[in-house]
Amino acid sequence: VSLLGSTVNVASASTFSNTGTTTLGNGGDSLTFNGGLTATSGPISLGGLISTINNPMSLGASTLASNSTLQSGTGSITLGSVTDGASSYALTLQNSAGSANQGSVIVNGNVDIFALNTVAKNYAIQLKGNTTVNSATNFLNTAGVNFGSSASSVSRFDNGVTAGATGSGSIGVSGTLQTSGNPIQLGN
């Protein structure tokens, strides 16, 4: 299934049960699933702004086809995993123009992307698998960040990572948190 229009709006909750690739945008597209979005049966290709309106978003193994943004208002976002393959794309989580409180973001699998961007709103992020992010990362969200889920988890931010410099959220590390010789700043 491919949704490639520059603007796509779906009023009701949407569930993609197909086991083939679901393509959500192909670069700069804006797709809004007002009632929520579930696509976990097959691989996902992300290419633009994918959003819900205060409803949950649940995506399976996802590959960035361009710089992409996931927004869910007060609904939660759950991802199986996310990669940009051999490319260098950024993933932005949640909406800087949205309400003060936004839904939590959980990535259950691995993350391997060029850049990860967050916004200064009240929501938590959990990166449960192994994580590799090439660019410097500043977690601006204020309700906490958890890196890894076991002693064998490796969270690597090549050009440095800052988390918890604002807000009162807790920072959790399971396993290893590392950079390529660049600063790690946790807490205020």
Side-chain angles (χ1 to χ4, degrees):
V1 174
S2 296
L3 299 175
L4 305 178
S6 60
T7 303
V8 175
N9 288 297
V10 180
S12 61
S14 300
T15 299
F16 293 89
S17 299
N18 54 300
T19 56
T21 300
T22 299
T23 301
L24 301 174
N26 61 347
D29 296 342
S30 177
L31 293 85
T32 302
F33 300 88
N34 292 312
L37 172 62
T38 302
T40 57
S41 299
I44 309 299
S45 175
L46 302 174
L49 168 62
I50 295 88
S51 63
T52 68
I53 306 298
N54 299 321
N55 282 297
M57 177 186 305
S58 182
L59 302 175
S62 301
T63 300
L64 302 180
S66 71
N67 293 330
S68 297
T69 300
L70 301 178
Q71 297 176 350
S72 63
T74 58
S76 62
I77 296 174
T78 305
L79 289 160
S81 63
V82 63
T83 182
D84 57 8
S87 301
S88 295
Y89 295 124
L91 177 63
T92 300
L93 300 173
Q94 292 296 15
N95 182 1
S96 61
S99 68
N101 294 307
Q102 298 191 10
S104 62
V105 178
I106 300 170
V107 183
N108 288 309
N110 296 337
V111 175
D112 189 355
I113 58 178
F114 177 73
L116 180 62
N117 303 314
T118 63
V119 299
K121 299 291 182 174
N122 187 41
Y123 64 101
I125 296 176
Q126 295 181 46
L127 303 174
K128 292 184 171 185
N130 294 325
T131 297
T132 302
V133 178
N134 303 117
S135 65
T137 304
N138 187 0
F139 287 89
L140 300 173
N141 59 299
T142 60
V145 181
N146 284 312
F147 301 99
S149 61
S150 70
S152 62
S153 297
V154 177
S155 301
R156 180 183 175 113
F157 295 85
D158 288 332
N159 284 291
V161 60
T162 300
T166 60
S168 59
S170 64
I171 307 299
V173 178
S174 295
T176 302
L177 177 62
Q178 64 186 23
T179 69
S180 296
N182 289 295
I184 296 173
Q185 179 182 338
L186 303 178
N188 349 5

